[in-house]
Amino acid sequence: QVRLVESGGGLVQAGNTLTLSCELTGGPDTTFAMGWLRHTPRKGREFVGFIRESGETVYGDSVMGRVTISRDGAKNTILLEMNNLEADDTATYTCVADYAAGTWWWTRPSEIRWRGQGTQVTVSS
């Protein structure tokens, strides 16, 4: 049974850098596509980005230029680093995974196969 466990988050000052980690356990011995969505009361659900099995990354428009998603050593552990945080980055960040990633990750994110519990990030000014 696949499980996604997020760590990091909490209260972060505006202008600082956020680092989140997500580990996938319980799956078959393969490299998964993994990434992040976020949800705010004002904007709803937003696509943050993903990293494909190949290592290719794709990021959402709202965070482009400020975010990096990478694999952290183990093939199914990823890091999200977002710099120059703004108040609008306050959200619940959810790690997601599937066997592959594509445009449905931002057009139909409910179809992504697995998701974690989410971690709250609050940006203070």
Side-chain angles (χ1 to χ4, degrees):
Q1 181 179 349
V2 170
R3 189 163 168 253
L4 295 171
V5 179
E6 301 116 333
S7 60
L11 187 63
V12 189
Q13 282 228 301
N16 282 6
T17 297
L18 168 71
T19 301
L20 301 177
S21 175
C22 176
E23 181 185 10
L24 184 153
T25 61
D29 186 19
T30 189
T31 302
F32 291 86
M34 298 177 68
W36 297 88
L37 306 176
R38 68 183 184 182
H39 185 274
T40 65
R42 189 167 70 89
K43 294 184 182 180
R45 187 165 49 192
E46 280 189 307
F47 168 74
V48 177
F50 64 64
I51 183 166
R52 286 194 162 110
E53 320 87 273
S54 63
E56 178 190 2
T57 52
V58 174
Y59 302 117
D61 289 342
S62 63
V63 296
M64 188 80 70
R66 297 192 296 125
V67 68
T68 302
I69 296 175
S70 59
R71 294 197 188 266
D72 183 27
K75 61 186 177 185
N76 289 321
T77 297
I78 61 169
L79 294 179
L80 175 147
E81 293 175 301
M82 186 183 299
N83 57 37
N84 199 20
L85 288 173
E86 307 162 353
D88 278 353
D89 295 318
T90 295
T92 301
Y93 286 73
T94 302
C95 181
V96 292
D98 208 323
Y99 290 113
T103 56
W104 78 92
W105 280 50
W106 58 84
T107 59
R108 303 185 306 277
S110 60
E111 295 183 13
I112 302 171
R113 196 178 300 259
W114 297 290
R115 60 194 65 235
Q117 293 291 321
T119 184
Q120 177 65 34
V121 173
T122 302
V123 180
S124 66
S125 54

